Each structure stands twice: as structure tokens, then as C-alpha cells.
Amino acid sequence: MIEASPTQIWIIIIGMAIGTFLIRFSFLGLVGDRPLPAWLLRLLRYTPVAVLPAVVAPMLIGAKADTDPLRLFCAAVTIIIGVWTKNVLWAILTGLGLFFGLGAFLG
């Protein structure tokens, strides 16, 4: 394992802070006072739909080869409730309630 010195760590932190600022400034500072093109607004509508599975998928599949059947079952029920009710809040609450309820019941 390679260890980094405190100076290297601070250079990385500052570099990432500058990069993050520039990415956000490109939208807010440079384009913030002008309307965005219709094609870009249409594409930006799909951002939450892409981000949510990207956040949830590693928790379902995991880093190891074995997967947790409880998590997969709760995810499947969450998807079914979401499609059935077309309500994200009900789907999330159902999935969380089922996960914690069955997790506490099954141990």
C-alpha cells in the first residue's frame, strides 16, 4: 500500500475543490442568467433517473460475489410499488419499511 504525505493529500483536496467549483461555475456563473436550450433541458430531466440507480446498485449487488436476498427482494418490491403507484415517495417508504421490518423480523 502506498502512503501519501500530508502535502500530497492537501494538493489532491485543493485540486478536487477547484475542479468541483469550475464544474458548478460553468452552469451557474456562465449560463445562470440565460435560458438553456430545449435539448439540454430535456436531457437534464433524466439526471435523477440516472443518479438514483447508480447510488442504489452498489448496495444491492455489493463488492463481493454474494448478494443479500433480503436487499434484492426489497428492491424488487420497491420497483413494483413505484411502477404501480407512480409515486417515488411511496416506493421509497415501502422499500425502507420492508427492509427494516423484515430485517428486524428475520434477524
Side-chain angles (χ1 to χ4, degrees):
M1 185 161 112
I2 300 172
E3 292 190 29
S5 70
T7 304
Q8 291 172 327
I9 292 173
W10 278 108
I11 289 173
I12 291 171
I13 291 172
I14 292 170
M16 291 179 73
I18 291 170
T20 302
F21 173 78
L22 291 176
I23 289 170
R24 293 168 196 256
F25 183 74
S26 67
F27 277 100
L28 299 174
L30 300 176
V31 188
D33 59 342
R34 289 176 279 188
L36 294 173
W39 62 270
L40 183 59
L41 290 173
R42 188 172 55 248
L43 291 177
L44 287 174
R45 281 188 294 182
Y46 297 108
T47 303
V49 177
V51 169
L52 191 59
V55 170
V56 172
M59 289 185 277
L60 290 177
I61 298 169
K64 301 177 185 175
D66 58 337
T67 55
D68 185 12
L70 175 64
R71 289 177 191 241
L72 292 176
F73 174 73
C74 293
V77 172
T78 301
I79 290 171
I80 291 168
I81 294 296
V83 170
W84 182 49
T85 63
K86 294 182 179 32
N87 188 328
V88 176
L89 185 61
W90 277 115
I92 291 172
L93 291 175
T94 302
L96 282 173
L98 191 61
F99 179 71
F100 287 115
L102 281 177
F105 180 71
L106 297 175

